[in-house]
Amino acid sequence: MTSSEIKSGALVSLQDLHPSSSYFKQGASLRVTGKLQEYSVEIAIATIVDGSDSLKINTQYLRELSFRVGSIYQFIGELLIQPDNGAVLQARVGRNVDGIDLNLYYQSLQLLRQFQAHHLKNPAT
């Protein structure tokens, strides 16, 4: 694989993004979902939340997406770890997903992880 190849974004919840998590790596390609709490047009930074967890999203490359505080968004991009152990997702794709059933979405994410864990341990099955 060449270094210029774009990786798919691993499905993660905001609760999964903490310094001891396996997803919390410089340059990790991730897909995150959350409610837009705030957006600054001047610096192109959005903040999404899910419960008490939040993540800053750099939206400088998302020209065609309009932002509404309170709406649900999904972003795919690369995680940039800051010196203070904070993180910003450099988004390359973003979309409004208002109407998504977040409880069902997170249930399906858990089932996907269980399936992947089982099949990575037992690839023949």
Side-chain angles (χ1 to χ4, degrees):
M1 179 184 333
T2 63
S3 62
S4 64
E5 192 171 316
I6 297 174
K7 296 180 182 177
S8 63
L11 290 164
V12 297
S13 67
L14 296 185
Q15 292 85 356
D16 295 328
L17 293 177
H18 49 84
S20 62
S21 167
S22 63
Y23 298 108
F24 198 82
K25 295 179 185 166
Q26 184 73 16
S29 187
L30 305 175
R31 182 187 317 182
V32 296
T33 303
K35 182 184 286 191
L36 185 65
Q37 181 179 51
E38 60 183 319
Y39 180 67
S40 170
V41 175
E42 295 83 16
I43 58 174
I45 295 290
T47 301
I48 60 170
V49 297
D50 184 11
S52 62
D53 299 293
S54 66
L55 179 65
K56 291 191 183 310
I57 311 288
N58 184 327
T59 64
Q60 71 184 24
Y61 300 125
L62 306 180
R63 302 275 184 229
E64 301 299 317
L65 188 60
S66 61
F67 293 96
R68 289 189 314 269
V69 171
S71 285
I72 308 293
Y73 289 87
Q74 189 171 70
F75 298 97
I76 301 173
E78 283 61 51
L79 194 65
L80 305 175
I81 309 297
Q82 307 299 305
D84 64 354
N85 242 5
V88 176
L89 187 78
Q90 177 65 60
R92 56 183 147 90
V93 177
R95 65 182 180 154
N96 180 300
V97 291
D98 279 344
I100 190 171
D101 182 332
L102 286 174
N103 289 326
L104 188 57
Y105 176 78
Y106 290 126
Q107 285 177 14
S108 67
L109 179 58
Q110 290 297 346
L111 289 171
L112 174 65
R113 287 185 180 164
Q114 290 171 10
F115 176 83
Q116 289 172 332
H118 174 74
H119 286 283
L120 288 176
K121 288 179 185 174
N122 306 308
T125 59

